[in-house]
Amino acid sequence: MTPTATLLIRRGITGEEPSWSRFEVTYEPGQSVLDGLRRVRIEQDPTLAFRYSCINANACKECMMRVDGKVVYACTARLEPREMQLEPLGNKPLIRDLVTEIAPPDERISNTASRVKG
């Protein structure tokens, strides 16, 4: 029997009551929580929203979330063969599912665009 990790993921958007989705993924030692999330999105639910940039955009901190109540980087937090509870950051505005607004207000596109026009 192949060991599995269970990801209990808080879902939803701003202004709506959150819901929870449970996903089982194959567990392999050394995998990160981000690896598990990517597997969920590829194999089970392409609508799952989470953010990561890693090496591609040189924009670390994109994958920050709460795992079992602790703020972690999903790319360095290890997947474990048990149930793990994943939630968006609690101190940032929610966009959808595990995605929160992490850019400072003065660096967001809408604010930058309005300054350019003005």
Side-chain angles (χ1 to χ4, degrees):
M1 183 176 198
T2 305
T4 61
T6 302
L7 302 179
L8 182 60
I9 302 173
R10 184 175 159 194
R11 310 281 305 264
I13 61 173
T14 301
E16 288 185 1
E17 191 67 29
S19 63
W20 293 87
S21 295
R22 183 181 313 273
F23 300 97
E24 302 276 333
V25 295
T26 302
Y27 168 77
E28 295 178 27
Q31 284 186 313
S32 68
V33 170
L34 181 58
D35 292 330
L37 288 169
R38 292 176 64 202
R39 180 167 280 174
V40 167
R41 192 158 61 185
I42 291 166
E43 298 175 359
Q44 299 178 50
D45 187 348
T47 69
L48 177 62
F50 59 93
R51 187 184 281 159
Y52 67 98
S53 289
C54 300
I55 297 168
N56 299 335
N58 195 23
C60 195
K61 298 184 184 174
E62 293 284 321
C63 69
M64 286 179 75
M65 62 184 63
R66 290 183 293 177
V67 175
D68 297 328
K70 294 176 62 177
V71 175
V72 300
Y73 293 106
C75 64
T76 60
R78 291 291 157 226
L79 194 63
E80 298 179 22
R82 62 175 179 85
E83 183 173 285
M84 302 177 78
Q85 185 172 313
L86 282 56
E87 300 176 84
L89 295 174
N91 62 341
K92 302 288 183 184
L94 178 66
I95 296 174
R96 191 175 115 220
D97 297 341
L98 298 172
V99 179
T100 55
E101 182 60 70
I102 59 173
D106 61 337
E107 292 180 14
R108 295 181 190 157
I109 291 175
S110 62
N111 289 337
T112 305
S114 65
R115 283 195 309 238
V116 172
K117 290 180 182 177

